[in-house]
Every structure is written in C-alpha cells, then in structure tokens.
Amino acid sequence: MRRRRREDDHPVNLSVVMPVYNEGATLRVIVERVRAALPDAEIVAVDDGSTDGSADILAGLKTEGLIHQSLVHPHNRGKGAALATGFAAVNGDAVVIQDADLEYDPEDYAVLLAPLRNGDADVVYGSRFLNAVRPRFRDYWHFAGNRLLTVLSNLTTGLRLTDMETCYKCFRREVLDGMAIEERAFGVEPELTAKVALGRWRVTEVGIGYERRTYEQGKKITWKDGVSALRCIVKYGVWRRLTRARVAAAGEVRAPVLAAVCLVLGGAWSGCADDPVRNAIRAGDELLAVGATDEAIAEYRLALRMGGDSVRVAMLLGHAHAAAGDVDAAVAQFRLADDPDRRHQIAAALAQLGRRSLAGGQSRNMVRALEMPLEWGIEFIPRDLQGALAEHHAAEDNHALALALLLAATTGPGGDDSGDGQAGTNHNDDYLPPLRETPEELSDIGRAYEQLGGCPVAVRYFAGYLESDTGSFQDRRAVEFRQGTCLFLTARREFAAGTAVDDKSEVAAGHLAGARERLQAMIRLGTPRTLLINAHFLLGEVLMAEGRLVEARAAYEAALDANPQRTHALVREAESRLRELRSGVL
C-alpha cells in the first residue's frame, strides 16, 4: 500500500531542476518558456562541465534574475550527477526535471502538477505515449527501445508505466529527501523509477507533448545508454528487491521470476553477486527510507567495518544522523565526506536539520548545523534560515557576518542588478552594527553585496581585503575570483549603459571608460579563467565603441588566444570582428 498524505498538505511551490551540458543554443529559450509557463517557479540549473559557454550564459541568466541558482560541475560527470546536485539545492515543495533542450514543453507543468495538488499522487510521470497526438519519434529504434525498457522496468518494479525513460518526472519534495542518487549518467532514469517503487510512493502518469531532436541538433543519448539502462533495471529493480528480505517475506516480490530475469539480463554479471558491503549499504538505505534511523546507522557502520568506502559511508551516516536529529554526529560525518562536488547535497541535509532544530526551539543546534555550510559561503545557507542566523551572530557581536546574512536574507532572488552601486533596497535599516572592518569583515560584507547584485560596492570591499595582505593563499584566491567576477559584471552593465543611446555625450563616454577600466583590471587579475575570453571580447567591443580600433584588434586577438581550442561560443564572433577590422569595414 502506498503512503498517504494529509489532504491539506499539497505542494504549492515548484522547483525546476535543469541539467545542462553544451546547450548554449537553447538555454535562454527554455528558461524563458519555463518563466512564461510558471513565473513563480524556482529554477535550479546545473552546468555539467559544458565546453560551449553554457556556464557563462547561465551566469548571465542568474544576473538577470531569470534563474535562481546556477551550479557548476568543473568537469562532465553525467546527467545523474547533475540531478543529484540540483535535487540537493531545491527549496520547493515539488520538483520537476526539465532538460535544457526544446524536446519537452513547460506548458505541460499544469498537467504534471494537477495530481500532486489534488492529493492523488506523490510522483507524476509525463508520458509521451498517452497524448492524443502521437509523439514525434523520428527513429523507430528509439521508439522501440523506449517501449522495451519500460516493459522490463515494469516487470521488476510492479508499476504500470508507459514511459519510464521520460524526462518529465515530478516529485513531492519528501520523495527525494531520503533518496541517494547513485547513477552518474542516463541510468538515473531506471534508478529513480525503481527507488520510487521500493519506497512505495503513489505514482501516476499524464499525457504530455514531445518534439524529438536529431543528433545534428545535439541529442546525446545513444545505444550505449540503452545497455546501461538494462544494467540499472537489473541492479535497482531486481537485485535490490532480491536482497530486501522483509519485502520478499511479505510476498510482494515473486523471487523465482525476478531471479530468472536477473539470470537472463545479468548472467554472471558481478551486480548479481553477493557482496556483504553493498548488501549492508542497501539494507541501510531501505531502513532509512522507512524512518528506521538507528537500524540504518547500524547497517552503515557494519559496511564500514567490512571495508566499505569510508567517504561514501560517512556521507550516508551523515544523512542518517541528520534524519535522527543528532546534530553533532551528522556534522562530524559530513566533515569526513566533505568534497566540493558534494557540498550542495550536504548543505541541503544540514539545512533541513537546522529547520527542525529552529522549529523545536533549539537555536543553538540550528547554528551548529549551519556552521559547516556557512564556512563555504552564505550562498549555501537557504534564505529562510539567513535571518535567524543573522540574529544569533548579532547577539554574539559578530556584526560583519550578521550584516552579510541580513543583507542576503532581506533581498529577493538575484538582488538589485540595476548597476547603481546599491545592493538591494529591501534592507532592515534598524540594524546598523558598529563595523570595525577587519579584513575578514571586509570579505564578508563584499560577499554579501556581490550576492545581492551590488558588484560596484562589493569590488571596493574585496579590494580592501586584498590590500590588507592577510589571509591564506586559498582565501585570497577565492576573494580574487569574486572580485574578477564582479568587475566583469559591472563592466558589462557599464557597456550596456554607454551604448544605450547613439551619441557621443560625456555620460556615454564615462560609462565606456568605466567599462574599459574594469575589464582591464579583471584581465590583470587573471581570474576567473572561465570569463577571460568574455572579458577580452567585451573589451574589444568597448574599444570599438570608443573608436580605438588598433587596441580593439589586440583585444579580439587576445580573446582567441584565451581559447586556443576554439571551442568557445564567442570565437566566431571574435574572428568575424577581426576580419571586418582587417578589411576596413569597421
């Protein structure tokens, strides 16, 4: 029997998780479509190591306030990894997956959300085969492969789906909170389906539209992903159920049938072999999913004693202790598992623990839970907890950090990006602490203004910190990175203001000069490296607008030198500008 929820506990806020890999051509279009379909939806985009400038486009969309979070993997890790990062960062009551191409139409969100709002389901799949209009599969083998994988998945999960491989999967938030994503590539689709079935959540399907793109248009899935999907169906739909003794004892799994499927699909594959460490981890996962935290912790510790991966098990133990409400134990385990790729997931788990502590009147536990994410940056603290954390640090006379948290808490997503030097207008004027402006305080306040869109102000604070010649090499590099980003964003606004009107006024000239100086300062700083080609190209545009053609040519050439592989989206633009300069067109 699937879990039921109170009829008055329906989701009202949607979070859209958008994995991105080399989708620069369609990114803005799909984000605008999401905004048009559901203006209040939270958009969390995860760039998975793109090489076509997608990360820069996402940064621009975030600056414009069109997306709420732009997360970046330094190298390509796969769709599953991108979804795991995105799921850990969302704040909504419901979560939907949205690919960054144009195959799926956000206009279908209303259809997807209806069963959740009505209390009829916990998970909704958008089926391309239930629509009155036949989906446009241009390739018979893709069509047949999708149907075959769905049938095999249904045999192993007991669900009655028509489209297991669909991108459009919509979940209540709590379905994902207790789910660890293990697959890094497209195998995440059968993994999610099997784990939803194992969790006994209520699943339904609705019909959606679909417009398949070709490989020439950028489609990435291949026959190898189909083979991987078969492996995952066996791994999560068959083997996990066979090792779940209490489910088999309840008569919910026909073990002989599933064992035969495992034999046919897996053969002597090691995934069907007995592994005590993996069995202990699986048992812990299943116990944690049904709320048996003490038993789950015991299973994870058993896996550790039997030689399990210490970092992976520490991550699992951290989640289990967090679910049990043990702040100190959860933080200790998460510190053992700390890695930049895991930080959003760890921060999300500790934020949930902080919320529960705050609701229970245990503010000290809330502060303790949030210490680790705060060390990584204010951006890892959810806005609903920033105010409470600011009050605590103000009471402790840590005024700089309190101000930074308060500024972040009292400004909406994206901040004030007007470029007038003021970081937001929704500040609490009753809180004006006596700042001593130590180097650490300068860094904290600069980061607060940066996050609120007040980069012109943030640059001054960052410069003050760097001039103090204090802090570790790593801390100084982090501040230089933030200063470089702010210099670039401010220069881009100055250039837009200087070219908004076609005249040679002193105001326009002042904006262009400001843009040039900031870009030159950022280039001298040499960071962030991902924006250097953008900075050189924009400097060329500024110099062109100022009539300094020789210097503009050098800037465009520097843009090409910054990307010798010629993979960046701006390469063609820079080459075009150089041809025009050499031919005398400009």
Side-chain angles (χ1 to χ4, degrees), residues 14 193 214 216 232 241 294 318 342 378 389 409 416 436 442 453:
L14 179 69
T193 303
T214 65
E216 291 74 18
C232 293
R241 283 176 175 263
D294 290 342
R342 299 189 184 93
I378 292 174
L389 203 55
D416 179 354
R436 296 178 296 276
L442 290 170

Side-chain angles (χ1 to χ4, degrees), residues 4-274:
R4 298 286 174 180
R5 291 167 52 92
R6 300 192 307 272
E7 291 303 312
D8 60 346
D9 192 18
H10 301 158
V12 293
N13 300 317
L14 179 69
S15 291
V16 179
V17 174
M18 186 180 295
V20 177
Y21 180 61
N22 289 344
E23 301 288 2
T26 58
L27 259 181
R28 179 172 289 275
V29 176
I30 193 61
V31 167
E32 289 175 349
R33 287 187 183 181
V34 172
R35 278 272 163 256
L38 209 59
D40 296 330
E42 176 191 43
I43 301 179
V44 179
V46 183
D47 181 79
D48 189 33
S50 295
T51 58
D52 69 340
S54 292
D56 299 332
I57 295 173
L58 288 175
L61 292 171
K62 184 176 186 297
T63 301
E64 295 173 33
L66 293 178
I67 63 175
H68 294 72
Q69 298 186 60
S70 174
L71 312 176
V72 178
H73 289 171
H75 52 83
N76 181 247
R77 297 170 56 204
K79 182 177 181 179
L83 289 179
T85 297
F87 289 161
V90 298
N91 296 298
D93 302 309
V95 181
V96 67
I97 301 169
Q98 173 70 61
D99 283 348
D101 54 28
L102 305 179
E103 289 187 325
Y104 294 83
D105 189 349
E107 289 293 331
D108 287 322
Y109 286 172
V111 180
L112 286 166
L113 286 172
L116 272 65
R117 287 186 170 134
N118 296 335
D120 296 330
D122 302 305
V123 181
V124 181
Y125 278 42
S127 173
R128 296 165 287 182
F129 305 103
L130 289 181
N131 205 331
V133 179
R134 186 178 180 84
R136 297 184 181 181
F137 281 91
R138 298 185 177 93
D139 186 334
Y140 169 79
W141 292 111
H142 275 93
F143 171 83
N146 271 281
R147 300 310 294 265
L148 174 63
L149 291 174
T150 298
V151 169
L152 293 174
S153 176
N154 287 344
L155 284 173
T156 62
T157 62
L159 300 177
R160 296 182 177 179
L161 300 174
T162 64
D163 192 3
M164 178 272 294
E165 287 283 348
T166 180
C167 159
Y168 269 179
K169 295 177 174 71
C170 189
F171 310 85
R172 294 191 191 278
R173 172 72 177 277
E174 58 266 37
V175 177
L176 298 173
D177 280 344
M179 186 184 296
I181 305 300
E182 300 172 53
E183 292 301 315
R184 289 297 176 249
F186 288 100
V188 70
E189 309 292 359
E191 178 191 359
L192 286 170
T193 303
K195 289 185 174 180
V196 164
L198 278 172
R200 306 174 73 185
W201 298 101
R202 296 171 299 152
V203 183
T204 192
E205 278 188 308
V206 296
I208 60 167
Y210 178 66
E211 180 65 38
R212 182 181 179 272
R213 65 175 177 172
T214 65
Y215 287 104
E216 291 74 18
Q217 294 169 320
K219 192 169 185 68
K220 301 174 181 68
I221 195 166
T222 67
W223 64 269
K224 295 180 182 179
D225 297 300
V227 174
S228 176
L230 284 174
R231 175 186 63 81
C232 293
I233 288 171
V234 174
K235 178 179 178 180
Y236 300 102
V238 178
W239 183 241
R240 293 281 171 98
R241 283 176 175 263
L242 288 173
T243 57
R244 188 173 174 178
R246 64 180 179 281
V247 176
E252 295 186 25
V253 176
R254 295 187 292 277
V257 175
L258 293 176
V261 175
C262 185
L263 179 62
V264 171
L265 295 181
W269 169 62
S270 61
C272 290
D274 190 23

Side-chain angles (χ1 to χ4, degrees), residues 178 208 505 579:
I208 60 167
S505 68
R579 284 194 298 270

